Amino acid sequence: MEYLNKLLACVEKDSSIFKKDDINFIVGLMNTQIKELKKYAITNELIKENKKEFFLTSKGREYLLNNPVISWCSNDFPLRPQINLEYLKLEKMPPTLTKAIRCLARHLLEGESLKENSTESYLYKELLVDGASCCGIKNEIEKFLLQGKKVKLTDLFDKFMSYGLTKSIVGILLLDVLAKNKNILAVYEKLQFQLKLNQLMFDRMLFCPQNFEIQKTVMDDYPILSSISKVLSDRPTNNILDITKTLIYYIRELEKYTMNTERLSKKTIRFRNVIVNAKDPISLFYRDIPKVLVGKLLPDCSKEFLEYYKSSIFELKNATQNMIVEINDFFLQSFKSDSRKQLAERFLAVDEFIGEKELRILFNNVVEKDADDILWINRIATFINKSRVPKDWSDEDVADFKVKVKELALKFYALEATVGNTKRGISKDFQKLLDKLLKLSKPEQNVVIRELANS
């Protein structure tokens, strides 16, 4: 019976073995295996119980003598370490081991606690503690990953499984190296740079290594990286991965308007787009961003590149705010008012004559006193466009807003003229033109209004 000799050897060493909380680690087997082997050994008189402890019988000693425990190390695989946990030696991972590796990955990559005397805690104790039999191989794996060029994960598994190791052992050692170096390693899945390494990604790495490549991202040869990093971070670094993550997270937090508008400088538009489409943090800063800003590769860049980089970041940072200031100024100018307060006074002067629904809603928003200036124009703009708030607009929404503002302003002028309050808003010449406009048919008025709005 497989592993029976190992159980008997453990009983021979320690008669109280079945009382141990970590018996699974000591014997290197799962619970069900130990229970079945214990039952078999008792039934076949290989061990006997005495005062709740177990001892080998003469028959048990004879069995162990004829079936000694054979070391996993062999002449065929001299680099194999000594491994006690038998399920780590299996070519095909059992489900319990797969589950335990996932728990270990959550512990190492995401900070989840390890349960005492769990299978995952035994994996850590067997392979990853200081002085473990695999320390030398783990150091080799680390050197292999940190060699400075892209490493195919299949090459790593092929190399270290040739030592006679199983995929599960290589995978766990790889997991520990990744966890300890995750801030300086870029992970690519199907050539696509992955921003966050977690348990789910490691699971894919373990079972589909052909889809993954890994590369070290610290580049000490390019001191300009440190200056670039300080644009968006307080801590300077030469780690392209850190710089890329900071930049991508920054871009992702920008408003929808900023991410879609074409009302930026050509360099900034290209800068934004190349970041959004980035697949490789190394190429992004070595080639893509320098190319769109100064037409050079990173090694050839000087302070000129850094200034363009800062300028583009600044332009993106302020794009939405600048647009809101623009529509605020346009709104006041369209109503020929110098300030929000002045416009509110003009609306209040014609309050009792406002019957049209659109002007009434506009009136309620214009005379609002409690909202600050930003909230004030946001509410007005959202009402006028009858859609999203300005930060989520497109360039087309800005254009629509301007046309509709012009139309509302002309309606307001007509109302002011009708009730005799034109002095504040329009000149006498304008009033004469307005009188002529009011005599036109409705379709003719609409044509004139649109021509004015687009002029």
Side-chain angles (χ1 to χ4, degrees):
M1 194 173 187
E2 191 176 19
Y3 304 130
L4 178 60
N5 55 352
K6 190 171 186 183
L7 179 69
L8 295 178
C10 290
V11 171
E12 186 177 40
K13 289 180 183 177
D14 186 353
S15 58
S16 63
I17 183 68
F18 294 111
K19 297 179 183 179
K20 304 290 186 182
D21 291 333
D22 60 346
I23 182 173
N24 290 21
F25 181 74
I26 296 170
V27 182
L29 300 171
M30 300 290 188
N31 265 332
T32 52
Q33 292 174 301
I34 292 173
K35 287 179 180 178
E36 289 174 3
L37 290 171
K38 179 183 177 183
K39 182 179 179 181
Y40 182 89
I42 293 172
T43 302
N44 289 275
E45 299 179 344
L46 300 176
I47 60 174
K48 62 181 180 180
E49 184 180 4
N50 183 16
K51 297 180 181 181
K52 296 185 178 181
E53 293 192 349
F54 288 83
F55 302 88
L56 289 185
T57 63
S58 57
K59 191 175 179 182
R61 284 191 292 273
E62 183 181 356
Y63 181 90
L64 193 55
L65 183 66
N66 293 328
N67 300 278
V69 177
I70 300 173
S71 172
W72 198 47
C73 303
S74 66
N75 291 331
D76 292 335
F77 298 107
L79 297 176
R80 254 186 186 171
Q82 187 60 261
I83 299 293
N84 182 51
L85 300 178
E86 297 297 332
Y87 39 84
L88 284 174
K89 303 173 187 177
L90 301 175
E91 291 301 316
K92 185 176 180 181
M93 281 183 267
T96 49
L97 177 56
T98 300
K99 182 180 177 182
I101 292 175
R102 286 171 179 161
C103 290
L104 184 60
R106 286 195 292 273
H107 168 67
L108 293 174
L109 298 174
E110 302 170 27
E112 186 177 287
S113 299
L114 285 181
K115 294 180 181 178
E116 188 177 4
N117 292 321
S118 61
T119 303
E120 51 269 23
S121 70
Y122 295 153
L123 296 179
Y124 187 91
K125 189 176 179 180
E126 174 81 72
L127 299 177
L128 304 181
V129 296
D130 291 340
S133 60
C134 287
C135 280
I137 294 175
K138 187 172 70 172
N139 290 337
E140 280 192 61
I141 290 176
E142 188 168 42
K143 284 183 181 179
F144 192 82
L145 284 182
L146 300 181
Q147 59 184 281
K149 64 179 183 179
K150 269 189 182 179
V151 173
K152 292 182 178 179
L153 213 50
T154 48
D155 291 345
L156 184 143
F157 276 101
D158 289 345
K159 174 180 171 64
F160 291 98
M161 287 175 68
S162 70
Y163 290 8
L165 304 177
T166 59
K167 191 174 185 179
S168 58
I169 293 174
V170 176
I172 293 169
L173 298 176
L174 168 65
L175 170 62
D176 193 50
V177 172
L178 289 172
K180 289 177 178 175
N181 295 280
K182 62 182 179 181
N183 291 328
I184 61 169
L185 290 174
V187 178
Y188 304 86
E189 184 175 11
K190 295 181 179 179
L191 305 179
Q192 180 74 44
F193 168 60
Q194 301 299 311
L195 204 56
K196 187 175 182 181
L197 174 60
N198 55 21
Q199 176 264 312
L200 292 173
M201 186 184 296
F202 179 74
D203 202 43
R204 299 196 300 274
M205 293 171 76
L206 190 57
F207 291 98
C208 298
Q210 67 274 12
N211 293 337
F212 287 88
E213 294 176 297
I214 299 172
Q215 184 171 8
K216 179 184 174 184
T217 60
V218 173
M219 303 179 74
D220 297 323
D221 297 336
Y222 305 117
I224 195 171
L225 286 173
S226 179
S227 299
I228 293 170
S229 70
K230 288 189 285 187
V231 176
L232 290 175
S233 175
D234 295 331
R235 293 183 298 175
T237 178
N238 283 345
N239 186 345
I240 281 187
L241 183 58
D242 283 344
I243 300 172
T244 301
K245 283 183 176 180
T246 301
L247 180 60
I248 291 176
Y249 284 133
Y250 176 80
I251 293 294
R252 285 183 176 180
E253 289 174 1
L254 292 173
E255 296 86 354
K256 287 184 180 179
Y257 171 79
T258 303
M259 295 304 294
N260 293 304
T261 183
E262 297 297 312
R263 302 168 78 230
L264 300 166
S265 68
K266 290 182 180 179
K267 283 185 184 293
T268 298
I269 291 172
R270 292 197 294 266
F271 173 75
R272 177 195 65 192
N273 294 344
V274 82
I275 296 167
V276 170
N277 297 313
K279 294 184 177 180
D280 183 344
I282 306 294
S283 297
L284 181 64
F285 275 98
Y286 183 86
R287 180 193 65 204
D288 300 339
I289 292 177
K291 276 286 186 182
V292 300
L293 293 182
V294 293
K296 300 176 182 178
L297 296 178
L298 186 66
D300 303 319
C301 287
S302 60
K303 288 184 179 180
E304 178 194 20
F305 166 70
L306 187 59
E307 291 307 312
Y308 276 122
Y309 181 83
K310 290 178 181 177
S311 176
S312 291
I313 291 289
F314 182 82
E315 191 174 357
L316 289 171
K317 179 181 179 181
N318 293 285
T320 298
Q321 183 58 40
N322 289 341
M323 180 270 289
I324 292 173
V325 170
E326 177 190 340
I327 64 173
N328 181 79
D329 292 344
F330 183 87
F331 180 74
L332 292 174
Q333 289 166 10
S334 296
F335 281 86
K336 299 194 182 301
S337 288
D338 296 327
S339 67
R340 167 184 171 183
K341 180 181 178 182
Q342 186 189 76
L343 183 59
E345 289 173 352
R346 287 173 57 199
F347 266 84
L348 287 168
V350 296
D351 181 9
E352 62 181 302
F353 301 100
I354 299 176
E356 187 178 338
K357 185 178 179 181
E358 268 198 323
L359 282 179
R360 173 54 62 183
I361 297 173
L362 182 60
F363 168 87
N364 292 333
N365 282 292
V366 168
V367 302
E368 167 66 49
K369 293 180 179 179
D370 295 332
D372 61 36
D373 290 344
I374 298 298
L375 181 58
W376 182 77
I377 190 59
N378 269 277
R379 285 177 175 174
I380 290 172
T382 303
F383 154 66
I384 290 175
N385 262 15
K386 294 180 173 56
S387 61
R388 303 169 301 278
V389 292
K391 68 183 180 69
D392 293 335
W393 280 4
S394 65
D395 291 342
E396 289 74 17
D397 291 321
V398 175
D400 287 345
F401 170 81
K402 290 182 176 180
V403 170
K404 291 171 182 175
V405 165
K406 288 286 188 181
E407 293 173 350
L408 285 168
L410 287 172
K411 287 181 181 180
F412 183 69
Y413 295 156
L415 181 61
E416 280 189 316
T418 301
V419 299
N421 288 320
T422 58
K423 291 183 180 179
R424 296 186 185 189
I426 56 179
S427 66
K428 289 181 179 179
D429 289 338
F430 188 84
Q431 186 176 343
K432 290 178 182 178
L433 291 173
L434 189 59
D435 290 338
K436 291 181 180 180
L437 175 65
L438 293 173
K439 291 178 182 178
L440 298 175
S441 66
K442 195 68 176 177
E444 288 172 331
Q445 288 178 3
N446 287 336
V447 170
V448 173
I449 288 170
R450 294 191 180 278
E451 286 295 327
L452 287 171
N454 293 319
S455 63

